[in-house]
Amino acid sequence: MDEFKHETGPRVRINQVGYLPDGPKRATLVTDADEPVAWELVDAGGGVAASGTSEPRGFDESAGLDVHTIDFGDVPIRGTGFRLAADGEESYPFDIDPALYDQLRMDSLGMYYTQRSGIEIESIEIGGEFEKEEYARPAGHVSEFGGDDVNQGDFGVPCLPNEGVTDHRGNPQLGGFEHYGPDGWDCPDGYTLDAAGGWYDADDHGKYVVNSGISIYQLLSAYERSLRAGVVNGVNDAALGDATLLIPERGNGIPDILDEAGWNLDWMLAMQVADGTAMRIAGETFDAGGLVHHKLHDVAWTGLDTLPHEDPMPRYVHRPSTAATLNLAAAAAQGARLFGRFDPGYADELLAAARRAWEAAKEHPDIYAPNTNDLDPNPGGGPYDDTEVDDEFYWAAAQLYLTTGEDEFRDAVLSSPYHVGGERADIWRATGFDWCFTAAAGRLDLATVPNDLPGRADVIDSVIDGADRYLATQAGQPFGHPYDPGDYDWGSSHQVINNAVVIATAYDLTGERAYRDGALEAIDYVLGRNAINNSYVTGYGTHCSQHMHSRWYASADRLPPFPPGTLAGGPNSRLQDLVARANLEGCAPQACYIDHADSSSTNGIAINWNAALVWYASWVTYRARWGRRS
């Protein structure tokens, strides 16, 4: 095999989409020059719009490169087709425009319709024109369990049998005893679940409650912050309202972002165990009502080039977990307060489910999801293992309190070790928040959603302190991103964005320009200002990720490309797949990425990663138009 080398393009690294006219404008020049280097901002006609000199930054360990920073933020200009020239190189072209991210907000949200399970994906007619035609496909996983047909599930889905199972070719696969132990889990005889719908989680055909929860949170939070933005009939109705997305529900009087979230909330509700259901878990038999199954997926991995309706594998639900139960409690409680003005009956259903989940989690606080990937060489789905759920208790309590104002949930928030003043109150990790660390989801909403929590001023201060920490990290990064964990983690691109979310929230709380500028600059890295000169968002930038890991996008000539606005996972120092290990050994953290369909650990997609992009794109679009507060 020939030695792999990144196609890094010009040594002048910029945000390949562009910059806001009144926002920060910085670039990174790869050079070993010891002294400042002259630069020129060249317009589309070849004229020099501005000039200056770079700032040497030395060797950047995360990139493995010697670099300079170029700052052209004071240039009062807007337009298209600019290039930045320095040290004998010219950057990729970029724009300077206040409407820069308007389409990204819609595209990042539009990804979810094409991830839907249990519904035919159809082209959407707008003004006589049909959109999304290339993504049309039959409904996936809509038949009854069993038989020889493809497209099995997700009606009448049984629990994973303890004694083991066989896949569609008769090959033996591990069962519940191997996954959960001989006393780990027994379902009642004949127990099945109707759990069609929801979103396919990532690049496979599995559906997972814990990753659904954080994804729902960020979509709902994007909408909820627009309600606080102070623009009547502005952001909410024009940008995140009804008939703004290419989905079947457009025009039904409900904001499309809520319709999309509701599609997956319905699936999460279906994963909740009915009251009176006796299950044996960890050697004890009890009424498991209110608990939530952790996941539903194939018995073994399917290959690439497999559309959802072509999936031949039998599918099973897995054991309930405390983490999944608290994810439903949090997501459903948040949904209840936002759906209330549009569908009160649905809001009541969500809140009732959230309360049931909360009570079940309190009763059974230590039902943990194991790492099934370590136990099973062909598990058919991701483990989403989690043995620390106090953060989920904090998040769920926060959402229930914000929705109900009730003392029980207030007290649970105040007594949590993750709350301000608690023994684990320092929640601002270098790798940000995500599905397995959700305390920030509670803290951010307690700071921003109006409430009467005692000591709320301290909560707000803690978010600002977290933003200050990320700003300090950003100041030390020549590529301008608030991320420096040493080795880069799985899904690092969304971790960069979630750290920017904290900074952006601090701007919402304070109006201080430093937070606005820090949050705006953070996206530069994701959109191309990085060691390998690659935008990690499909369709955005001259050189963007296009060959991500997926069963049903772009893994064969017959399959459609990834929808624009889909976020790739990004560099992952652990090199956890064969392609990454074969091509990236010894990589600097920022360079531990390959745009290859078989690199699941660096080039996957996921609903939670795009949810971070949705929140950010909504925030940045609003701030570009209406948000100059200082």
Side-chain angles (χ1 to χ4, degrees), residues 221-231 235-237 240 618 622:
S221 290
Y223 175 75
E224 190 164 27
R225 76 159 299 281
S226 78
L227 301 180
R228 302 189 301 272
V231 179
V235 173
N236 176 27
D237 293 337
L240 295 178
S618 178
Y622 171 71

Side-chain angles (χ1 to χ4, degrees), residues 49 51 70 148 242 296 349 354 388 420 477 515 535:
S51 61
I70 295 172
D148 297 327
D242 191 19
L296 186 168
E349 180 185 359
E388 168 51 63
V420 177
Q477 295 301 302
Y515 299 118
S535 168

Side-chain angles (χ1 to χ4, degrees), residues 57 139 253 255 257 270 359 366 425 524 623:
R57 298 291 297 271
I257 190 171
E359 291 300 323
D366 54 1
D524 292 353
R623 286 306 176 200

Side-chain angles (χ1 to χ4, degrees), residues 110 197 318 401 475 601:
H318 282 246
Y401 171 70
S601 70

Side-chain angles (χ1 to χ4, degrees), residues 505-548:
T505 301
Y507 177 70
D508 284 350
L509 292 167
T510 68
E512 293 182 11
R513 183 82 187 209
Y515 299 118
R516 179 179 184 265
D517 286 355
L520 291 176
E521 185 178 3
I523 202 65
D524 292 353
Y525 167 87
V526 176
L527 295 175
R529 184 186 162 197
N530 51 57
I532 61 173
N533 212 2
N534 180 72
S535 168
Y536 294 108
V537 181
T538 55
Y540 285 80
T542 301
H543 190 276
C544 64
S545 299
Q546 301 179 64
H547 308 290
M548 286 93 82

